[in-house]
Amino acid sequence: MSLYSPDTDPKYQPLVVPAPHNVSPTVIISADTRRADRLPEGQHRTRKWPVLHATSVPEIDLTRWVLRISGLVDQPLKFTLEQFRQLPRIQVFADFHCVTTWSRLGNLWEGVSVRQLLTQSGVQATAKFVVIGADDSDWTTNVPLAALLDDDVLLADTHDGVPIDADHGGPVRLVIPKLFAWKSAKWVNRIELTDQNIPGYWEQAGYHNVGDPWQAQRYRDDPEWEAAQDAC
């Protein structure tokens, strides 16, 4: 096994933090990258491109991969990988904050706007939350619907100009720049709109239902969770 070296890591960032004023005018700029201090409390910058996941990397047959948008929508949608790649595309410049305290600043993501897909599907008025499903042993995470409607939220298949590999969530991963990175689910295959907040894998283990890094929302503090802990 060879030791890690920045010299052989193509994703290793320069010392100078990538800034929004240096990107193309066609790129969507996530608002948090314009902050004077881009690190939330308790976070530190990494120049690497770390790999973290709950279990093992799933083996995905790209010829059979399907993305489904379902639940409280007027028109359920389904896309093969080839169909997904033909959809209108956006680029987003955003920071990426992991709940384990590292942050990678100035990422350039490319893919499909989640807001556009939800508009196409026709979100029903009763929908308030979303369950994101993945190929990782039916792994899920829950997200407030409002968090997916920002213009910087996308289903990404490219990172810093390179297709996203399996370790980092390829072929397609969700990216929600304003929330902690566990909400940016890897290996996404399902977006289900609901009227109930249904905790996912990490949320059932005690992680926050929203996960805003700027509000230090690392762990659950909702009454339902606190009541369950008191009963233990």
Side-chain angles (χ1 to χ4, degrees):
M1 179 183 295
S2 60
L3 296 177
Y4 173 83
S5 171
D7 296 333
T8 58
D9 181 359
K11 288 293 187 77
Y12 192 75
Q13 291 184 316
L15 181 60
V16 177
V17 177
H21 62 262
N22 290 326
V23 304
S24 166
T26 61
V27 174
I28 295 169
I29 305 297
S30 184
D32 287 341
T33 66
R34 300 188 188 278
R35 292 175 180 262
D37 183 356
R38 289 162 61 178
L39 288 174
E41 183 179 357
Q43 296 293 114
H44 68 275
R45 182 194 177 198
T46 182
R47 295 159 64 187
K48 303 177 184 178
W49 187 213
V51 174
L52 289 174
H53 32 256
T55 56
S56 58
V57 177
E59 294 185 9
I60 299 174
D61 183 346
L62 300 186
T63 65
R64 302 183 66 180
W65 180 89
V66 174
L67 170 70
R68 289 180 171 84
I69 300 177
S70 61
L72 297 176
V73 296
D74 296 331
Q75 179 63 52
L77 302 176
K78 183 173 73 171
F79 302 97
T80 65
L81 187 57
E82 183 60 30
Q83 290 169 332
F84 175 85
R85 290 170 172 167
Q86 296 304 313
L87 293 171
R89 296 175 69 79
I90 61 171
Q91 290 182 307
V92 173
F93 179 82
D95 296 337
F96 194 73
H97 306 293
C98 181
V99 72
T100 61
T101 74
W102 59 262
S103 295
R104 192 179 193 273
L105 306 180
N107 303 273
L108 182 63
W109 303 96
E110 183 175 333
V112 176
S113 165
V114 171
R115 183 167 68 181
Q116 179 58 39
L117 290 176
L118 294 179
T119 298
Q120 184 178 342
S121 67
V123 177
Q124 296 179 5
T126 54
K128 303 299 179 185
F129 304 97
V130 180
V131 174
I132 308 298
D135 278 304
D136 182 13
S137 302
D138 296 322
W139 186 96
T140 64
T141 190
N142 53 308
V143 181
L145 173 59
L148 293 186
L149 299 179
D150 283 349
D151 65 350
D152 60 356
V153 179
L154 75 161
L155 289 167
D157 57 14
T158 303
H159 174 263
D160 285 351
V162 179
I164 297 174
D165 61 21
D167 278 346
H168 289 97
V172 176
R173 72 171 299 158
L174 179 64
V175 179
I176 313 176
K178 295 183 180 70
L179 300 184
F180 273 122
W182 90 80
K183 297 290 187 178
S184 293
K186 299 179 179 183
W187 313 298
V188 169
N189 60 16
R190 175 168 64 96
I191 298 176
E192 180 182 357
L193 283 77
T194 75
D195 58 359
Q196 300 180 46
N197 200 10
I198 305 172
Y201 179 93
W202 286 116
E203 293 79 14
Q204 291 180 39
Y207 281 76
H208 203 277
N209 277 325
V210 178
D212 183 341
W214 298 98
Q215 300 297 322
Q217 292 176 341
R218 299 175 187 274
Y219 306 109
R220 287 181 65 172
D221 56 4
D222 54 284
E224 179 183 2
W225 175 260
E226 292 181 343
Q229 301 312 297
D230 290 342
C232 292

